[in-house]
Amino acid sequence: MSEKYSVEFRNLVKVFGDSVILDNLNFGIHRGKITTILGFSGAGKTTLMKHILGLVMPTEGEVIVLDQVINHLGELELREFRRNFGMVFQYAALFDFLTSYENVAFPLREFTKMNEDEIREKVMGLLESVGISPQAAKRLPSELSGGMRKRVGLARGLALDPHIMLYDEPTSGLDPITTHTVYDLMRDTHRRNEHRGFTSIIISHDIHATLKYSDYIVFMEKGKVVEHLDVETFKKSENPVIRRFLEL
């Protein structure tokens, strides 16, 4: 596995119809670090994440994840490869008919041969690690606050011990206090797993929380990477587009 990057984009181009969504991207996402992809709406952030997961294939170029060229894998190989990822969606995307416990147990039943005792031990440990009590484990998503749903979503994302965790606008719809609580949880989760090269990739519009919690920033504008910098250097960027974004 690459010592430096978990994900690399080489000459990546994506075209939908007459629109160039990703325009010749060449950069890597550092292994073992927290990288946030920032940019205004329509910059291409979500399309980039879909390429990492192999949900969308490049028009040109390559996407290399954990030393595998994603666009060279067949559908069955991709399905197996996606076990390397955890995903926390914008609104947690929990199964509303399953309890917190059952939501986290779902991928273990789907993708492993663990017995129910092993599943219970793992699920309860994951829920405890994200601050969900045994009582809350029995509740449906509709009975949880927005912040608690995010916690359960994170526990589910960690169930298969992924190498890469992807967060799609993880704090949308949350108040400022809950937002920072969720980011604290994301950072703590990362720190607990970074010894094994665990990589966190966040798509976000929340500039202030991003600067506090990230190691690297990728700033996109109209399908191009404007800057890819460590967070302290990014804060000092004199690029007028980035200055405008920072001043929002």
Side-chain angles (χ1 to χ4, degrees):
M1 186 184 296
S2 169
E3 290 188 11
K4 189 170 185 181
Y5 299 127
S6 287
V7 181
E8 290 184 73
F9 305 99
R10 296 181 181 172
N11 305 311
L12 176 63
V13 175
K14 184 61 183 178
V15 178
F16 288 117
D18 296 327
S19 300
V20 179
I21 308 301
L22 300 175
D23 191 357
N24 196 34
L25 302 185
N26 285 279
F27 72 97
I29 292 177
H30 290 78
R31 183 171 182 261
K33 302 296 183 181
I34 301 173
T35 295
T36 296
I37 301 170
L38 284 173
F40 295 104
S41 180
K45 306 185 299 295
T46 298
T47 301
L48 189 70
M49 182 174 280
K50 288 179 178 177
H51 277 79
I52 297 172
L53 289 163
L55 298 173
V56 173
M57 292 298 165
T59 303
E60 298 175 20
E62 294 181 331
V63 180
I64 302 164
V65 182
L66 304 176
D67 294 333
Q68 293 267 11
V69 182
I70 288 290
N71 38 313
H72 292 177
L73 298 180
E75 194 53 49
L76 288 177
E77 292 172 305
L78 269 174
R79 176 179 164 81
E80 182 64 24
F81 188 73
R82 288 188 187 115
R83 291 182 59 175
N84 290 296
F85 300 102
M87 185 82 193
V88 177
F89 297 94
Q90 188 166 354
Y91 295 106
L94 300 175
F95 297 115
D96 56 10
F97 55 90
L98 296 179
T99 65
S100 299
Y101 177 94
E102 294 295 332
N103 264 283
V104 179
F106 182 85
L108 296 172
R109 292 181 178 137
E110 185 78 7
F111 294 107
T112 77
K113 296 180 180 179
M114 295 171 71
N115 63 42
E116 284 301 314
D117 287 340
E118 292 169 328
I119 288 173
R120 178 169 181 77
E121 182 177 355
K122 175 123 189 181
V123 170
M124 296 309 291
L126 284 167
L127 289 171
E128 181 182 4
S129 75
V130 298
I132 294 293
S133 68
Q135 292 75 26
K138 301 173 185 176
R139 296 176 189 163
L140 295 169
S142 60
E143 300 172 308
L144 302 175
S145 68
M148 289 177 74
R149 287 195 292 273
K150 297 284 187 179
R151 290 170 182 268
V152 176
L154 179 54
R156 184 180 64 182
L158 291 166
L160 297 177
D161 299 315
H163 289 94
I164 299 173
M165 181 65 78
L166 298 162
Y167 299 92
D168 182 14
E169 299 285 4
T171 56
S172 283
L174 300 180
D175 62 79
I177 292 174
T178 307
T179 290
H180 283 285
T181 300
V182 169
Y183 268 103
D184 281 337
L185 179 61
M186 290 159 55
R187 181 180 58 189
D188 292 347
T189 297
H190 184 90
R191 300 299 179 230
R192 283 199 305 272
N193 289 278
E194 66 182 340
H195 66 279
R196 58 186 184 90
F198 186 79
T199 302
S200 298
I201 304 172
I202 305 167
I203 286 183
S204 179
H205 66 281
D206 190 332
I207 181 68
H208 300 294
T210 290
L211 293 178
K212 182 178 178 181
Y213 292 98
S214 303
D215 298 308
Y216 288 90
I217 304 290
V218 177
F219 189 90
M220 296 184 66
E221 174 79 352
K222 297 179 180 177
K224 292 179 178 288
V225 171
V226 177
E227 294 281 23
H228 178 202
L229 300 167
D230 67 86
V231 70
E232 291 305 318
T233 306
F234 181 82
K235 289 178 185 177
K236 301 169 187 172
S237 173
E238 295 301 322
N239 186 295
V241 175
I242 292 174
R243 294 315 316 168
R244 182 159 57 98
F245 196 83
L246 289 171
E247 290 161 8
L248 289 176

